[in-house]
Amino acid sequence: MLELLWLIPALPFAGFLTLALFGQKLHEKSIAVTGVGFIGLSAALAILVSASFISSPPQGYFYTQTLWTWMQVGGFSPKISFYLDALSMIMMVVVAFVGFLIHLYSIGYMKGDEGYSRFFAYMNLFVGSMLTLLLAEDLLLLYLGWEGVGLCSYLLIGFWYKDSANGRAAIKAFIVTRIGDASMAVGLFLLFTSLGTLSIQGLMNLASQRWPVGAPLAVASAALLLGGAVGKSAQLPLQTWLPDAMAGPTPVSALIHAATMVTAGVYLIARTHILFTLAPPVQTAVAVIGAVTLLIAGFSALTQRDIKRVLAYSTISQIGYMFLALGVGAWSAAIFHFMTHAFFKALLFLGTGVVILALNQEHDIFKMGGLRNELPLTFWTFLIGSASLSALPLITAGFYSKDLILWQALSSERGGVWLWAAGFLGAFITSIYTFRIFFLTFSGSATSQVSRKPGVLMTIPLVVLAVLSLIGGFIELPETLGNSRLLSNFLQTALPPLQAVTTDYSTQGSLQFITSVVSLIGIIFAYRYFLHSPQHTGRRENIMKNPVAYAVHCFLFKGWNFDLLYDTFLVRPFLWAARTNRNDFVDLIYRGMAAICRASNTVLSFTQSGKVRWYATGIALGIVILVGIVEIL
């Protein structure tokens, strides 16, 4: 079964080619069957291959499949080769399966759209590129998948390109992530010139043999790869593109900007973890970036009115938790949270899509309300997703993954109380902004008439993801609640275990209790201030009357003014320089040469008079000058 590994990314690419070539000629049902069918086959095959890998693990707990040599240039001969181990297997299954559910949901959501075939073609291309990224055996093939998902992100954010705002959002995402991509490309060049290969496993082995901890080349390489990771995963300081990326269709937000692409940076760091352990300052920077990002994005989510932008900032914040875990060496905890986050955040985005369709594309949460009775299934599944995101204790997957990160951020030898405190405060903020959405959307009396209810193809993914958002955490239970280590034990075949400085489980239990209480307090706070009623509305209005509170609200609403900062110090100076240098000074050299040629042509044209005596005189004069020169020399 393992020899069929190559088909898992190949099938989505086949779906893309089919739709790209024949999509315009196919009926809408045929497009849906093609677009969803290829992804479904890929997801089924991913599950079967994973089952075979687990039941009969190959020697060394990894499997490499080489298809052909990509190119040969001197001693450089990268191959089209796939690498399956515990890490890539978990990521592959989550991406393929969640991708299938979102494609299934999209049949109903995108029904009647004039770009129906184009949408599914782009989505298939994305899933194929993401699976290539995850399964690549060397960094060059990984980079090909990396650029592929970036291209698809651009195409899908600007899918409704007739609206110029969508085009601007797509360009912004492309340019901002391009900064990180350029950093990563330089890092690949540095790694190849230093170690002579781009094979991931070969690189990691050579790096650990040749570079001591703290080696300048290790630090530089890790820092450059981190630049790529923060760009793709929307972490500080390149986080500004993700909220605007919500301009794309809601299934795009669920797939690319919540469950899969934005976690590519997390995968990159985990995949090259040896390089980061050789560069302690960079690994510390990963933790600090994650801690700061989760707080900045969490506070911004508290103030947004657009329901999708709230979830976008939430995604930035939750990926910050994953970076925090990676930075303290809690590799398995980061992947655990990636998995649970894919379930509950995809669920919340898909539930949001149902609400938006039901309310005729309304995005403002303050114009919603009273949808509990109109959309009962969406209400309950959205409640489960909100509870999991808020880490409601004991019964949700989000509780177990987030609790593991918080505990290991404190107990790790690379962690500390400040990193734990950042995650702890972030958990409180998360509960508030999550249930702020929930209460404003579903509580109170109806403010708008529901015009469209979801069909069965839209509700099946909601139910499946809701179930996974509840039970997905039970594969990894803490010592205080059962001590099940199924996931981390499996991942230890690919990732090193946490280096902890304390295993005081009584302290762990106390912290779990405190975190659980804080999560519940956040929900109660949201209930008191954001339930749809005149009393709660009056409380909010009284707070906004305070000029300081209003100024802080505006500051957070604008994402801490990062866009203004970049616009002031980067965008405007660049545009000024472009306008000033509209006549490029380098081009002046070539324009000058052209002017000299034209002037010479004009002068020489005067000698073409058609009068023979002047030609004879010229020849004679030339001979005299030539003889004179010869005599002088």
Side-chain angles (χ1 to χ4, degrees), residues 126-176:
F126 167 78
V127 173
S129 299
M130 188 68 193
L131 291 171
T132 300
L133 186 161
L134 298 174
L135 293 172
E137 192 276 333
D138 67 62
L139 287 175
L140 187 61
L141 185 59
L142 184 151
Y143 191 69
L144 178 67
W146 188 275
E147 292 298 330
V149 296
L151 170 64
C152 293
S153 178
Y154 168 79
L155 294 173
L156 287 164
I157 293 170
F159 180 77
W160 289 316
Y161 57 87
K162 292 182 180 180
D163 185 342
S164 60
N166 296 342
R168 288 193 297 270
I171 292 172
K172 180 180 180 179
F174 189 80
I175 292 175
V176 174

Side-chain angles (χ1 to χ4, degrees), residues 417-451:
V417 66
W418 289 109
L419 294 175
W420 173 85
F424 177 77
L425 178 58
F428 175 64
I429 297 169
T430 301
S431 297
I432 298 175
Y433 70 66
T434 303
F435 276 86
R436 172 177 177 262
I437 301 176
F438 178 77
F439 290 131
L440 289 176
T441 303
F442 292 99
S443 68
S445 57
T447 57
S448 302
Q449 184 177 0
V450 171
S451 61

